[in-house]
Amino acid sequence: MKRRSLNRCLVVLACSLGLMGHLQAHAADEAPDLMIKRLSTEVLDSIRADKAIRAGDMNRIIALVDAKIMPNVNFQRMTASAIGPGWRQATPEQKKRLQEEFKTLLVRTYAGALSQVTDQTIALKPMRAAPEDKEVVVRTEVQGRGDPIQLDYRLEKTPGDGLGWKIYNLNVLGVWLVETYRSQFAQEISTKGLDGLIATLTERNKANAKKV
């Protein structure tokens, strides 16, 4: 993939991560596709209005994403899916560490792309879902300079009234985020075990932190 295309994909993912943080505060009865559209627009407008983010203030960007993602995403499900079968054998302490390091990896990997947000807009594609569905896929297209970028969301209905929907996976240009990491993590687990994966993620996060 060419560098320009990769950078555009990172921008899209960063916008989606920012979007995750705004899901919880709105009505649960809102249709998931309309919610994604409205919140995407809100997040893009907020990023464009923040001079610190547009100037590349990484600490400001990381703080924004870190504070907003976790309350509104089923991150345990996301992490478990990325780890694969090894998750069932993990101890409570290993699960805790894996979620912490995976979260840090996502935040630091995509935070820098937020400063590149300029004229992007979000267009919804028709959603195929029944009113009683508890899991849906919302398909969108990020439009701006260059060719449109496919960005899809997998969401689940949170049990209980008024709790709304939560994102647990993202798809950019036909590639699901969780499955991509599962492939990477499987190689680490097969050679080093879960503790080895935790150590690798810790070192990668430390290296990313030095770039801030």
Side-chain angles (χ1 to χ4, degrees):
M1 183 181 291
K2 294 182 179 179
R3 180 174 297 274
R4 181 174 298 178
S5 297
L6 176 60
N7 287 340
R8 293 183 66 224
C9 288
L10 289 177
V11 168
V12 171
L13 279 170
C15 292
S16 66
L17 290 176
L19 164 62
M20 291 179 187
H22 293 258
L23 294 176
Q24 194 174 37
H26 295 269
D29 292 336
E30 187 175 16
D33 55 341
L34 298 181
M35 179 185 68
I36 290 290
K37 170 65 174 177
R38 175 176 57 79
L39 296 174
S40 297
T41 301
E42 289 179 6
V43 170
L44 291 172
D45 289 345
S46 297
I47 293 170
R48 284 191 285 263
D50 192 317
K51 293 181 180 180
I53 289 178
R54 288 189 286 109
D57 185 334
M58 288 297 292
N59 288 324
R60 178 72 172 270
I61 294 167
I62 290 170
L64 169 68
V65 177
D66 192 25
K68 297 296 185 179
I69 293 175
M70 297 309 296
N72 306 286
V73 178
N74 187 340
F75 203 73
Q76 178 173 321
R77 176 173 179 174
M78 184 177 286
T79 306
S81 296
I83 300 303
W87 181 259
R88 292 191 294 271
Q89 284 74 49
T91 66
E93 178 61 24
Q94 287 175 323
K95 290 179 179 179
K96 178 175 179 291
R97 288 292 310 283
L98 286 165
Q99 288 188 76
E100 291 173 348
E101 298 299 337
F102 187 35
K103 182 193 81 170
T104 302
L105 176 65
L106 288 177
V107 170
R108 291 197 177 276
T109 297
Y110 300 114
L114 283 171
S115 62
Q116 302 177 38
V117 171
T118 54
D119 60 348
Q120 288 82 7
T121 59
I122 304 295
L124 288 177
K125 295 185 176 182
M127 189 176 74
R128 302 178 181 89
E132 66 273 14
D133 286 348
K134 301 301 181 184
E135 297 193 4
V136 299
V137 175
V138 175
R139 301 165 60 241
T140 74
E141 193 173 78
V142 181
Q143 300 172 347
R145 297 177 183 175
D147 295 332
I149 295 178
Q150 171 193 347
L151 174 60
D152 301 337
Y153 299 84
R154 280 181 176 154
L155 300 95
E156 64 176 4
K157 183 70 167 61
T158 303
D161 294 334
L163 297 181
W165 295 84
K166 289 193 175 184
I167 294 173
Y168 65 91
N169 207 347
L170 306 166
N171 181 318
V172 179
L173 295 175
V175 178
W176 288 100
L177 179 71
V178 167
E179 281 71 14
T180 298
Y181 279 110
R182 183 187 299 159
S183 177
Q184 297 177 19
F185 293 169
Q187 297 178 22
E188 290 284 336
I189 294 171
S190 66
T191 58
K192 302 178 183 178
L194 287 172
D195 286 334
L197 173 60
I198 292 170
T200 296
L201 292 175
T202 301
E203 289 303 311
R204 189 184 303 181
N205 288 330
K206 288 179 179 178
N208 288 338
K210 294 177 180 178
K211 300 176 183 178
V212 177

